[in-house]
Amino acid sequence: MTGHRHRQHHPAIRPAYFSASPRYRSAKINMIWVCPAMRAWQPPRLAVHGSPESALAGVPEMINHSQESTISMKPSVSELDAEKLYQDLTADIRKAIQGIDHVAIAGIRSGGAWLAERMASDLGLTTPPGFIDVSFYRDDYAEKGLPAEVKPTQIPFEVDGATILLVDDVLYTGRTTRAAINELFDYGRPARIMLAALLDRGGRQLPIAADFVAAAVSADRHEMLVLHQADDKSFSLTVENA
């Protein structure tokens, strides 16, 4: 046969679009070939036993259980062992500071100072710990004035270029941490400041987060979490009315 060669199609396949116009043939347009069986194909449906309402009835309930499980994971203060929290916090810090030179530690009075003093010994730091009293650096100093007992700030190490571990007992609004950092910069420009807290009770008012936290707890606004240190240097926690 002369002239155009006719393309033979499989009987089960036909072109989705075909034109005998020479203009399309000269342009060498590629045609899409579609199997008729594909036209009738539909995605499979999910098999549901019972009505759709019964299938969806348990979804909100499962979500609520998940939320309750997340909330219940925060322990109450009465369930916390301050000594175990201290050991866990110290272990995490020990792993993190391995290989870091010029590490110094400073605790925020008073609970943070107790933690820092004992931690400096347990971590084997050669630099003596520093103690910070933020009374003059708080942003509410003009309103509340000085507390009944004010102790001097002691920074026995060179701040410039040092990696400083700042320690506090309870991280709350973040204002005490901000005041402590401001006071440290009055002594020099550290290379890095890492924040460690025994407890994080939330309620942040400033964008401050700790690098190391032993436990996150929930407490009412009128409650105050207080760290105590016994004569043998062991720790305990109580809840007092603010």
Side-chain angles (χ1 to χ4, degrees), residues 58-73:
V59 174
E61 185 177 357
M62 289 188 293
I63 295 175
N64 290 337
H65 287 328
S66 175
Q67 292 172 348
E68 290 172 1
S69 299
T70 303
I71 294 173
S72 62
M73 289 179 66

Side-chain angles (χ1 to χ4, degrees), residues 131-215:
F131 308 116
I132 301 176
D133 191 307
V134 300
S135 299
F136 292 100
Y137 286 79
R138 291 188 59 88
D139 54 11
D140 58 358
Y141 167 72
E143 297 179 15
K144 298 183 178 181
L146 290 175
E149 185 178 358
V150 178
K151 295 183 178 180
T153 293
Q154 300 171 339
I155 306 295
F157 51 82
E158 182 67 31
V159 172
D160 280 324
T163 296
I164 299 177
L165 179 65
L166 182 62
V167 184
D168 202 1
D169 51 355
V170 180
L171 179 57
Y172 188 18
T173 63
R175 295 181 181 275
T176 298
T177 304
R178 180 206 61 82
I181 293 174
N182 285 352
E183 188 165 358
L184 276 174
F185 272 85
D186 280 352
Y187 288 83
R189 188 175 185 274
R192 181 183 180 185
I193 296 178
M194 297 182 292
L195 178 62
L198 194 68
L199 298 177
D200 185 346
R201 60 174 293 172
R204 211 79 76 244
Q205 297 175 358
L206 296 177
I208 290 176
D211 298 276
F212 310 98
V213 175

